[in-house]
Amino acid sequence: THKIMLPSLLLCGSLAFTVPLTPHKPQFTQQQAATTLERLNAVAPSVVRAPVVEMMAEGKPLKVGVVGVTGAVGKEIINVMHKRGFAVSELKLFASKRSAGTEMETPFGPQMIEEFDLEAARACDVLFLAVSGDFALEWVPKLTADGGPLVIDNSSAYRYDDTVPLVVPEINADAARKSKKRLVANPNCTTAIALMALAPLHKEFGIKRCIMSTYQAASGAGAPGMKELEEGAAAMATGGTAENSVFAHPLPFNVIPHIDKFMDDMYTKEERKVTWETRKIMDLPDLLVSCTCVRIPTFRAHAEAITIECEKPIDIAKAYAALEASPGVKVVDDPANNVYPMPLTASGEYDVEVGRVRKNDVFGEYGLDLFVCGDQLLRGAALNAVLIAEAVC
């Protein structure tokens, strides 16, 4: 029987299966595969190292609410608050009627999940929304009216509203601090991860144009996307077939150049989000950005290959210095020893890894290539949301 090693691309490169070419006599049972993948998935939140970003000021403990606590981002927001020592006087967990009345284990102790209620939510000092854009559009005006809580919205509902700050705290926290709104939008995960590297490089060299290709994890589609990848990989490992309902095609051992819907110009909305949000966060309304977004079979870390053309000639030493001095960035760049950013090493980490830094042949002395990788659920969602709260409260 011939055997193949399924590529380490699967699940952050943490596992490879030995599988016969014929479907009978599996070497690795579906239950073993599922158990192993569950273990790998569970590791990430526990390995978060101490964050570089120190932004939280001393203040009174706050009453905090999280809407959407049964989802992947909602759970991570709670974990991040605890790990960073966010001063919480009372924690309110909100979800749908289906989940209400369920006790949920949290780092703050067991908490009862409540059905979302406007009055109870408005009684909070800070409210994190880890729910759909439709929910945000319906409820944010009621939540923030007449001195309501500070609302930090993870959906795309208000990102492109000129009156609402869109914030990566290390880059433009002042936009949130100076805003008269009681609402701050959290960026798209792909954008937030990329800008951690691009912002310090722009400050040093001035970016004229940017070309990006992304390699996005299943977690970008939430817990259902991660489950679909896990179950599909386990099925294929035993000669079965991967089913797909979350993604346009089966994701295990595949890549899909399609995230969100296609627009009239043949870019996807996910790709356009990167352009629109980069311009807004960096306050560069005319910046030229082109992006191709691809879903890959990893669990929770997005990677991005980025090329920039700059106003000033590139000095590689200065590029490294700018990146190394930037909070939330970890330079991982030692090709001689096979060290570079990877989902395997970025998963569960607060910092965005940056490496493969080199001059670009196309743009000559004004061009720079780099590769970045960051945890989609942390830097791309939960961590960024908590840092916003720390910066504003």
Side-chain angles (χ1 to χ4, degrees):
T1 301
H2 297 286
K3 294 183 179 180
I4 55 172
M5 287 298 291
L6 298 183
S8 61
L9 181 65
L10 169 67
L11 307 181
C12 303
S14 301
L15 180 65
F17 299 113
T18 304
V19 183
L21 291 177
T22 52
H24 61 282
K25 296 183 181 178
Q27 304 295 305
F28 200 58
T29 68
Q30 184 166 343
Q31 181 59 45
Q32 286 173 319
T35 301
T36 303
L37 298 179
E38 182 178 354
R39 176 182 59 78
L40 290 171
N41 188 25
V43 167
S46 67
V47 298
V48 178
R49 67 188 180 82
V52 213
V53 186
E54 297 296 344
M55 302 177 67
M56 191 168 180
E58 293 292 332
K60 67 172 185 178
L62 302 173
K63 185 174 181 179
V64 178
V66 183
V67 185
V69 294
T70 60
V73 173
K75 291 175 183 176
E76 285 291 0
I77 287 172
I78 297 167
N79 290 335
V80 171
M81 283 194 295
H82 185 263
K83 287 186 172 80
R84 287 188 59 78
F86 194 95
V88 177
S89 63
E90 183 180 353
L91 180 62
K92 303 284 283 184
L93 307 185
F94 297 107
S96 66
K97 184 177 182 179
R98 181 181 57 197
S99 301
T102 304
E103 188 175 80
M104 179 175 169
E105 290 295 331
T106 80
F108 296 93
Q111 304 284 334
M112 192 65 70
I113 298 176
E114 304 176 31
E115 183 178 3
F116 174 78
D117 175 78
L118 178 61
E119 185 177 348
R122 278 181 56 84
C124 295
D125 299 306
V126 180
L127 193 68
F128 295 97
L129 300 187
V131 286
S132 70
D134 289 340
F135 182 98
L137 289 170
E138 178 180 356
W139 290 103
V140 162
K142 301 170 188 176
L143 287 165
T144 57
D146 303 319
L150 171 67
V151 175
I152 300 170
D153 178 26
N154 279 276
S155 81
S156 62
Y158 291 94
R159 290 175 186 161
Y160 316 116
D161 184 329
D162 290 339
T163 69
V164 176
L166 179 66
V167 173
V168 174
E170 293 89 340
I171 300 170
N172 66 332
D174 280 347
R177 295 187 184 114
K178 294 176 181 178
S179 175
K180 296 179 181 179
K181 293 269 187 180
R182 296 295 292 164
L183 171 65
V184 182
N186 211 24
N188 173 271
C189 48
T190 310
T191 309
I193 290 167
L195 293 192
M196 293 300 295
L198 290 181
L201 293 173
H202 174 68
K203 186 176 180 181
E204 184 67 38
F205 303 110
I207 298 175
K208 287 174 60 177
R209 48 178 60 90
C210 172
I211 300 170
M212 187 186 309
S213 296
T214 74
Y215 313 85
Q216 296 182 222
S219 59
M226 298 169 76
K227 183 179 180 183
E228 182 168 295
L229 171 59
E230 180 175 344
E231 292 179 349
M236 291 184 70
T238 57
T241 302
E243 303 292 334
N244 64 293
S245 59
V246 176
F247 303 112
H249 301 276
L251 186 57
F253 316 110
N254 190 24
V255 298
I256 306 171
H258 175 191
I259 303 177
D260 212 324
K261 64 182 181 181
F262 281 94
M263 313 280 283
D264 290 342
D265 60 8
M266 299 311 296
Y267 280 89
T268 64
K269 190 174 181 181
E270 180 82 357
E271 291 158 356
R272 282 305 183 202
K273 286 176 185 176
V274 173
T275 299
W276 299 332
E277 296 178 25
T278 296
R279 289 171 174 172
K280 182 173 180 178
I281 294 167
M282 295 183 67
D283 195 20
L284 298 170
D286 300 319
L287 181 65
L288 298 173
V289 180
S290 181
C291 182
T292 299
C293 291
V294 182
R295 185 76 69 193
I296 68 169
T298 54
F299 259 135
R300 54 179 291 162
H302 287 357
E304 302 161 5
I306 303 174
T307 295
I308 55 175
E309 182 188 16
C310 297
E311 301 281 355
K312 300 176 184 177
I314 298 296
D315 180 316
I316 293 294
K318 288 183 178 179
Y320 277 124
L323 292 166
E324 288 168 347
S326 186
V329 171
K330 181 181 180 181
V331 174
V332 180
D333 204 3
D334 184 8
N337 290 300
N338 299 331
V339 175
Y340 25 67
M342 296 185 297
L344 179 65
T345 49
S347 292
E349 297 289 342
Y350 281 1
D351 289 346
V352 169
E353 296 184 349
V354 183
R356 298 296 318 280
V357 178
R358 61 204 186 276
K359 287 190 177 181
N360 174 267
D361 286 347
V362 175
F363 296 123
E365 62 177 330
Y366 294 91
L368 189 71
D369 288 331
L370 59 150
F371 192 75
V372 306
C373 196
D375 190 296
Q376 182 270 330
L377 293 174
L378 292 172
R379 181 74 263 179
L383 173 64
N384 201 79
V386 173
L387 291 178
I388 290 171
E390 293 183 9
V392 175
C393 296

